[in-house]
Amino acid sequence: MSSSLLNRLIEHDSEAWKRIVRLYYPTVRAWGQRGMLQPEDAADVAQEVFHALARNIGRFRREGGQNSFRGWLYGITQRQLMAHQRRQKTEPTATGGSEALQWFADVPEDDSVADGSNSSSVVPGERAELLHRSLKLLREGVAERTWQAFWRAAVEGHAAADIAADLGMSINAVYVAKARLLGRLREEFGGLID
């Protein structure tokens, strides 16, 4: 397993679990809604998926790069969807909410990581959404100037000399910002978004 976030999940690191929920909850909920569930039911199924994930995270194996975490999580989601449908046939529909449902509801929706606005450069699709959310998580705790140097160099493809002049930093500092944040992105999320 190449992802430090994945390793921290296995070690039951609570911050890692918060990050994985922020990364994958919107995707899991969307899978539930595509499975013809109402939004509330999709949220319930998502809770069950993360509960099952917590119980089984140690079983995930990449198998030489053949298996993806996203595919494995999708399989868990499909099993939870089937279990939910079986329960619906035998149980009356419950009303009310829960603290966990509220916690999941507080997970922010997908929005731009560059400057807070919608970016037309974000390619539609599930993998792109996961990458987008992982960039948003990566941005936390990064100085604004460092983030802008990384974003403009790695994402927008601007020349390091132009970025350095605009941000009042050395060209080397631009390259360092880009390399460090790309390294952190690969280390923390690389095995989770493919």
Side-chain angles (χ1 to χ4, degrees):
M1 289 175 250
S2 62
S3 171
S4 65
L5 181 58
L6 188 55
N7 289 334
R8 292 187 347 246
L9 290 175
I10 292 168
E11 295 167 2
H12 306 290
D13 178 310
S14 63
E15 285 302 311
W17 281 101
K18 287 177 185 176
R19 290 175 76 80
I20 200 70
V21 168
R22 287 179 63 196
L23 180 63
Y24 266 102
Y25 178 77
T27 301
V28 171
R29 187 183 62 213
W31 288 338
Q33 288 179 297
R34 277 188 229 138
M36 305 307 288
L37 296 180
Q38 295 296 318
E40 298 81 14
D41 290 334
D44 289 342
V45 168
Q47 288 179 37
E48 293 300 321
V49 167
F50 283 98
H51 184 70
L53 178 64
R55 287 190 318 265
N56 295 295
I57 190 66
R59 295 181 182 175
F60 175 67
R61 300 288 181 266
R62 297 240 352 130
E63 303 294 332
Q66 295 292 323
N67 300 327
S68 72
F69 180 82
R70 185 172 39 140
W72 186 67
L73 188 60
Y74 182 78
I76 292 172
T77 303
Q78 293 306 304
R79 286 187 290 282
Q80 292 304 320
L81 283 169
M82 287 186 288
H84 177 80
Q85 290 167 348
R86 282 191 303 270
R87 283 190 305 271
Q88 290 297 314
K89 291 178 183 177
T90 61
E91 296 178 3
T93 304
T95 60
S98 69
E99 184 178 318
L101 179 59
Q102 182 59 49
W103 189 78
F104 281 119
D106 290 338
V107 173
E109 291 294 328
D110 193 17
D111 57 294
S112 178
V113 296
D115 60 5
S117 66
N118 289 331
S119 172
S120 61
S121 66
V122 177
V123 179
E126 196 172 274
R127 187 174 185 281
E129 290 173 12
L130 287 168
L131 181 58
H132 184 79
R133 286 192 297 272
S134 66
L135 286 167
K136 189 172 183 176
L137 290 167
L138 179 71
R139 185 176 186 172
E140 294 174 359
V142 175
E144 182 62 25
R145 189 167 73 158
T146 302
W147 180 260
Q148 288 301 320
F150 159 74
W151 188 264
R152 291 176 64 191
V155 177
E156 295 175 350
H158 292 220
D162 294 340
I163 298 167
D166 289 348
L167 297 177
M169 54 196 314
S170 70
I171 294 172
N172 188 53
V174 171
Y175 286 126
V176 168
K178 178 182 174 184
R180 284 187 180 159
L181 289 175
L182 280 175
R184 280 182 50 198
L185 181 66
R186 285 184 194 110
E187 179 184 340
E188 188 160 2
F189 300 107
L192 298 173
I193 57 177
D194 53 356

